[in-house]
Amino acid sequence: MKTMIENESNYTPSNYRTPDGAPTDVVIFTIVSTERLAVKKSMPTRELYVLLIQRKVWPFVGQWALPGGFTRETETIYECAQRELKEETGVEPMHLEYFNVYSTPGRDPRGWIISHAFLALVNEGVLKDRKAAVDAMDVRLFSVSEALTMELAFDHHQILVDALLKIRLQMLSTTIAKEFLPAEFTISELYQVIQTVVPEFEEKNFIRKITSTQSRKGIIEEARDRNGELKSSNLHSQRAAQLYRFTDHEPQLSIYS
Amino acid sequence: MKTMIENESNYTPSNYRTPDGAPTDVVIFTIVSTERLAVKKSMPTRELYVLLIQRKVWPFVGQWALPGGFTRETETIYECAQRELKEETGVEPMHLEYFNVYSTPGRDPRGWIISHAFLALVNEGVLKDRKAAVDAMDVRLFSVSEALTMELAFDHHQILVDALLKIRLQMLSTTIAKEFLPAEFTISELYQVIQTVVPEFEEKNFIRKITSTQSRKGIIEEARDRNGELKSSNLHSQRAAQLYRFTDHEPQLSIYS
DNA sequence: ATAATAGTGTCTGTTAGACAGTATGCG
DNA sequence: CGCATACTGTCTAACAGACACTATTAT
């Protein structure tokens, strides 16, 4: 009972309505650290932030939205996200990753528009250099908890929720924590970054597990200067802490072994 | 230096070229078991297969391609994939999952066409019921190793490679093995399914780990009949083997704990 | 000295990994 | 009996998890 229409064989573009554009939307996450001024030499508080822009024209005028824009026929979706991200934040993101498509009919009042959502992770150090651009009236960082309470344009609330879920899973199963840390960091900083993204994460013996458990110790290594001496930092503590760096090893997880 | 064009604010559909369609392509995997006739009461050999269709019209006439078709403006991408899959195979897939977008300019000679790739896993039992439909001249199952050597239409070779990578990762990190197994199965069958998708998988003490390791034993449970008696099967062995079933528990993996 | 972070000692129970050995039942 | 699959016993080393304890140093 198969007809020709059931597979794509006899398609000609003019037979059917075609989409009115293929935009990308980028969820740009960063972690903002603020020093606790009351206490010297202590760990900063960290919070997850997301970058939003305020719309100026129809539809959703005045509402905040994820940055993004329409793909050109000469570029891939990925290149479009990369271009838009650079235009918005002035940085080449270290981590830019496609994560979902949004195609519910009616999601965009401008027409039939299927949007491609990306996840970008930006180190706050990098973003700070471009603070002027990011601090414009129409481009701002919001804490994720605040952004989740806002009425965002289109289905951007759902995209944000999905992105958050994705980054939480990835934080525990990959080494993306490195995107939020400097090249060399202390175990406490790493622990804090993980907890910032996944608040329920808790490991009592974290330092021991990650440094001396054989099956896991490959993912970070001690930082050494060019004389081979161990490097440490007392930026956030009285007692200096050993610095570590991520190796290029990505562990493979298995539920069966 | 931000212009209005850099964000999507002033877009009107007529300003730019729009895509010529938003199709889906579905990579349908199944595992085919064949009894080893030489040896009675032994484990079957299993192999991963993928369903392809032979194109009848321009472009890529006569070449094999992934099934799929164009999305309608009244449905989501997911609904399109579901519809096409049902039309092609006659089954509602147990597992249908979006996994990537393909947008390289020029990938489709018919125009500017961005394709959305899905991964479907179908139990061979379900597919066997529809064998007539699937055995048509233009719709066939190929072993994945054979499909990888074929010249597929469009960029479908790349899509297949990506889908294979994805399913291999998922086989070890989620319980999708259940899609390839009957509701009740033996430990050996589970082990075989995992190895069929991930040939390098090897666990010497598999049976013990999955049944009696506290942190892992939640993912499967012993099958019992309504009297509470343990169920076993001697379909593939002289000595009857205990049957198990997946629970609805999905383990959480973490590289840090 | 105090506060704040960094790290170690030690104990108990669990798990990993290897491999030999036993169990079952068809042909 | 032999074979193919299904388990179980046993031993060692490594790991998990808890928590008390020591270390360092700016203020």
Side-chain angles (χ1 to χ4, degrees):
Chain A
M1 299 307 111
K2 190 180 299 299
T3 73
M4 290 296 276
I5 289 174
E6 283 174 343
N7 60 45
E8 63 196 303
S9 309
N10 72 333
Y11 167 86
T12 55
S14 54
N15 286 357
Y16 301 100
R17 178 170 173 193
T18 61
D20 299 316
T24 58
D25 289 308
V26 186
V27 183
I28 308 172
F29 286 121
T30 191
I31 288 185
V32 173
S33 311
T34 48
E35 300 297 329
R36 285 153 53 203
L37 294 175
V39 200
K40 293 282 186 191
K41 289 283 179 186
S42 65
M43 299 295 288
T45 59
R46 289 170 205 263
E47 195 170 1
L48 190 63
Y49 276 72
V50 61
L51 191 147
L52 300 175
I53 67 169
Q54 194 168 29
R55 293 186 56 81
K56 292 232 167 27
V57 299
W58 182 87
F60 300 104
V61 176
Q63 271 178 256
W64 293 87
L66 297 172
F70 284 83
T71 307
R72 301 168 184 166
E73 58 175 304
T74 55
E75 66 188 359
T76 62
I77 298 276
Y78 185 88
E79 286 160 355
C80 168
Q82 204 167 31
R83 175 174 56 76
E84 296 288 344
L85 187 51
K86 191 173 181 186
E87 288 168 5
E88 297 290 357
T89 70
V91 298
E92 320 255 352
M94 305 170 72
H95 184 97
L96 179 62
E97 176 194 355
Y98 181 65
F99 79 94
N100 208 355
V101 65
Y102 293 85
S103 58
T104 306
R107 61 172 292 282
D108 190 321
R110 293 169 299 189
W112 180 22
I113 293 176
I114 292 165
S115 180
H116 299 88
F118 282 79
L119 192 58
L121 307 184
V122 180
N123 192 300
E124 69 178 319
V126 178
L127 207 56
K128 219 164 255 170
D129 299 342
R130 304 292 308 188
K131 211 170 188 337
V134 169
D135 272 1
M137 286 289 287
D138 58 342
V139 182
R140 260 192 58 199
L141 285 174
F142 292 85
S143 77
V144 166
S145 54
E146 182 180 0
L148 286 172
T149 69
M150 294 164 60
E151 264 203 27
L152 303 181
F154 306 101
D155 48 5
H156 288 186
H157 176 81
Q158 187 59 49
I159 297 177
L160 176 58
V161 167
D162 294 349
L164 197 54
L165 191 66
K166 175 90 177 178
I167 191 185
R168 283 189 174 144
L169 283 173
Q170 293 216 117
M171 181 58 62
L172 297 182
S173 60
T174 73
T175 57
I176 56 159
K178 66 163 154 281
E179 308 300 338
F180 291 131
L181 287 166
E184 300 181 345
F185 52 87
T186 66
I187 300 292
S188 294
E189 287 175 316
L190 171 57
Y191 190 68
Q192 263 209 348
V193 162
I194 298 170
Q195 282 204 320
T196 301
V197 177
V198 188
E200 61 272 26
F201 179 79
E202 190 187 323
E203 278 302 313
K204 290 278 166 61
N205 284 347
F206 184 68
I207 187 174
R208 173 170 278 154
K209 272 178 136 162
I210 202 160
T211 56
S212 50
T213 304
Q214 205 163 45
S215 57
R216 249 180 297 273
K217 70 182 166 200
I219 74 174
I220 60 170
E221 63 188 5
E222 290 151 337
R224 293 170 186 275
D225 60 23
R226 61 187 68 81
N227 301 323
E229 299 293 314
L230 293 172
K231 293 175 73 175
S232 59
S233 153
N234 68 341
L235 191 62
H236 298 305
S237 61
Q238 327 287 16
R239 175 174 171 178
Q242 175 62 45
L243 288 171
Y244 289 83
R245 48 170 61 252
F246 275 98
T247 65
D248 51 7
H249 174 246
E250 280 276 342
Q252 311 281 8
L253 291 175
S254 165
I255 63 173
Y256 298 116
S257 55
Chain B
M1 297 304 114
K2 190 179 299 299
T3 72
M4 291 295 277
I5 289 174
E6 284 174 342
N7 59 46
E8 63 195 304
S9 309
N10 72 332
Y11 167 86
T12 56
S14 55
N15 286 355
Y16 303 98
R17 177 171 175 193
T18 60
D20 299 317
T24 58
D25 289 308
V26 186
V27 183
I28 308 172
F29 285 122
T30 191
I31 288 184
V32 173
S33 310
T34 48
E35 300 297 329
R36 285 153 54 202
L37 295 175
V39 198
K40 291 280 184 194
K41 288 282 181 187
S42 66
M43 299 295 289
T45 58
R46 288 170 205 264
E47 195 170 1
L48 190 64
Y49 276 72
V50 61
L51 190 146
L52 300 176
I53 66 168
Q54 194 168 30
R55 292 186 57 79
K56 291 230 169 27
V57 299
W58 181 87
F60 300 103
V61 176
Q63 271 179 254
W64 291 88
L66 297 171
F70 283 84
T71 307
R72 300 168 184 167
E73 59 175 304
T74 53
E75 66 187 359
T76 63
I77 298 275
Y78 184 88
E79 286 159 356
C80 168
Q82 205 165 31
R83 176 174 54 77
E84 296 288 344
L85 187 50
K86 190 172 180 186
E87 288 170 4
E88 296 291 354
T89 70
V91 298
E92 320 254 352
M94 305 170 72
H95 184 98
L96 179 62
E97 176 195 355
Y98 181 65
F99 80 94
N100 209 356
V101 64
Y102 293 85
S103 59
T104 307
R107 61 172 291 285
D108 190 321
R110 293 169 299 188
W112 179 22
I113 293 177
I114 294 165
S115 179
H116 300 87
F118 282 77
L119 192 58
L121 307 184
V122 180
N123 192 300
E124 68 177 319
V126 177
L127 208 56
K128 219 164 256 169
D129 298 342
R130 304 292 306 187
K131 211 168 188 334
V134 170
D135 271 1
M137 285 289 286
D138 57 343
V139 182
R140 260 193 58 198
L141 286 174
F142 292 85
S143 76
V144 167
S145 54
E146 182 180 0
L148 285 172
T149 68
M150 295 163 61
E151 262 203 29
L152 303 180
F154 307 100
D155 47 5
H156 289 186
H157 175 80
Q158 187 60 48
I159 297 177
L160 176 59
V161 167
D162 294 349
L164 197 54
L165 191 66
K166 175 91 177 178
I167 192 187
R168 285 191 172 143
L169 283 174
Q170 293 216 119
M171 180 58 61
L172 296 182
S173 61
T174 74
T175 57
I176 56 158
K178 66 164 155 277
E179 308 300 339
F180 291 131
L181 287 165
E184 300 181 345
F185 51 87
T186 66
I187 301 291
S188 293
E189 287 175 317
L190 171 58
Y191 190 67
Q192 264 209 347
V193 163
I194 298 170
Q195 281 202 323
T196 300
V197 176
V198 188
E200 61 272 26
F201 179 79
E202 188 186 326
E203 278 303 313
K204 291 274 167 63
N205 282 348
F206 184 68
I207 188 173
R208 174 171 278 155
K209 272 177 135 162
I210 201 159
T211 56
S212 50
T213 304
Q214 204 160 46
S215 56
R216 248 179 297 272
K217 71 182 166 200
I219 74 175
I220 60 170
E221 64 188 5
E222 289 150 338
R224 291 167 187 276
D225 61 23
R226 63 186 68 81
N227 300 324
E229 299 293 314
L230 293 174
K231 293 175 73 175
S232 58
S233 154
N234 67 341
L235 192 62
H236 298 305
S237 59
Q238 326 288 15
R239 175 174 171 176
Q242 174 64 43
L243 287 171
Y244 289 85
R245 48 171 57 255
F246 276 98
T247 65
D248 50 8
H249 174 245
E250 279 277 342
Q252 311 281 5
L253 291 174
S254 165
I255 63 172
Y256 297 117
S257 55

